[in-house]
Each structure stands twice: as structure tokens, then as C-alpha cells.
Amino acid sequence: EIAALKLPNFLGPADDMSDSCIPDAPVESLEKLSEQRDCFNKFHERTVSTRFVDMEAAIEGELEREIEATAWESVVLAFVEGLSIFDSVTIIFSSIVNAAVQSVFALVLVHSFLSPELPKLQEIQNWRMTYGHDKDNYLVVPGSSLVSAVCSGDQSLIISAAQQTLFTTIEDYITNLGGMSIGAVLCVLVLFLWFLLVGQEVAASLSLMTT
């Protein structure tokens, strides 16, 4: 017999290995010590092998990926074993409706928000030469022409309100902010955030295709 030995737990918590590898009492023989050593060696080999397989699968892109709760990715679940025909048809129908709604939304954006709202330059010049400097439109109280009143932001005008609104809109857009107009800065920020969202969707789609 040898002196009583107590093996330390080198490999982490007890639930990570077989219960037989953890001595419940001090080891009091070389045979028991050898069994404990073999048990730990086998556990170590199994752990290393499992980690190697996981690493290899990760490199080859074969690890599982959770399907996100979206109408796009739910299509891959249609007609899989365990789903009824009604469930599969519902998934397909939801995907078609989702695509239709987004298509309509895109058409609304194209036809309602992408059309130019500013008048043509020739139209502004015609207003300036025809009405802006017309003596009949001369304002006696401020003592200025209609063009001067519009450009000065006179809020008492009851005519040429569209031109005054246009002038105010342009002034707000080109207001200087760190050497750039506020409108340009806001436009860049919106485009940057939009590209981030689009990139996230593209990355998720590629991840689903390669899984």
C-alpha cells in the first residue's frame, strides 16, 4: 500500500467528465491510481477530439445556424418532416404576402418620394422677371420689390407664398455645419445607416445559404 492520495480536479467541474473519474475517497493503491490516470487520459483525448471536430466544422462552415424569425428564412421550413400541409402552405403564403407588401412599399417610394419637388430653374427665372420686379407688385410698406421681400423672409406677404417656402427650404438645407450644409450631412448619415442595414441583411442571407 502507498500513502493515501487525493487527486485534484484538473479538468473543471464534475459534470464535464464521467463520475467514475472522480475519486470519492483517497486513492490507497497503485492500481486505483493507475485507473484514475487512465480515466482522465481517456477523457482528455475525447475532449481534444471533440474540440478538433468542432473547429474543423467551423472552418468548413458546417456548423448549425438558428433560423431567424422572419418570413424570408421561414421558407426553408416549408414541407419539412413534422409540419402539416396547412403549416407549410401558411409559410409559403406568408412569404408571398411579405414580398408583395414590400414591393408595393417600394413602388410608393419610387413614385411619391423620388420625384423632384423643386421647380425648374427656368420657372423661377420667369417668376422673378415677370412678377418679382413688376411695379404693380411693389410693396409700399416695406419699400421693396416682391423679390426682396421674399428673399428677406417677410412673413407679411400674402402672395408668392410658394416662392417664399421654396426659399426657406433651400436656406435650411444649405445652412453651414462644420464646412458642410446640414442637408448634405443628414443625407450622408441616412445613406450610411441604410447601407449598414442592407449589409446586415445580405450577410444574413449569405450565412443562411452557406450553412
Side-chain angles (χ1 to χ4, degrees):
E1 293 184 351
I2 60 173
L5 298 175
K6 180 67 175 179
L7 294 179
N9 186 3
F10 292 106
L11 298 178
D15 55 358
D16 289 339
M17 64 188 73
S18 175
D19 293 338
S20 61
C21 292
I22 304 175
D24 296 328
V27 179
E28 299 183 0
S29 67
L30 289 175
E31 182 180 356
K32 291 292 185 181
L33 180 61
S34 178
E35 291 177 0
Q36 294 293 335
R37 182 188 62 189
D38 293 340
C39 185
F40 278 115
N41 287 338
K42 290 180 181 179
F43 173 77
H44 177 69
E45 292 175 0
R46 185 170 65 253
T47 303
V48 173
S49 176
T50 302
R51 291 178 179 175
F52 177 76
V53 171
D54 290 345
M55 183 181 299
E56 190 177 42
I59 294 175
E60 297 179 357
E62 297 178 354
L63 292 182
E64 295 181 355
R65 175 186 181 277
E66 293 185 359
I67 297 178
E68 297 182 2
T70 62
W72 300 116
E73 296 193 7
S74 64
V75 179
V76 299
L77 298 177
F79 303 106
V80 300
E81 185 178 357
L83 290 182
S84 64
I85 297 298
F86 177 78
D87 294 334
S88 299
V89 172
T90 302
I91 291 175
I92 298 298
F93 178 76
S94 300
S95 301
I96 295 176
V97 171
N98 182 59
V101 170
Q102 297 206 27
S103 298
V104 172
F105 182 71
L107 290 175
V108 171
L109 287 178
V110 170
H111 290 283
S112 300
F113 293 92
L114 298 184
S115 58
E117 296 182 358
L118 297 178
K120 297 179 181 179
L121 179 60
Q122 185 62 44
E123 295 175 347
I124 299 177
Q125 291 177 344
N126 291 339
W127 170 83
R128 180 185 180 91
M129 299 302 298
T130 305
Y131 302 99
H133 292 292
D134 190 349
K135 62 181 181 63
D136 294 334
N137 293 328
Y138 184 82
L139 303 178
V140 179
V141 175
S144 64
S145 64
L146 183 59
V147 172
S148 298
V150 169
C151 294
S152 62
D154 190 349
Q155 298 297 321
S156 64
L157 293 177
I158 60 174
I159 58 175
S160 298
Q163 284 73 23
Q164 189 174 31
T165 301
L166 173 63
F167 177 80
T168 303
T169 302
I170 296 176
E171 281 290 309
D172 293 338
Y173 185 90
I174 64 176
T175 300
N176 194 312
L177 179 64
M180 296 181 60
S181 69
I182 291 181
V185 172
L186 180 60
C187 181
V188 170
L189 289 177
V190 170
L191 289 176
F192 177 71
L193 294 176
W194 181 77
F195 277 117
L196 289 181
L197 291 175
V198 172
Q200 183 180 5
E201 292 294 330
V202 172
S205 300
L206 294 177
S207 175
L208 180 63
M209 294 173 59
T210 56
T211 301

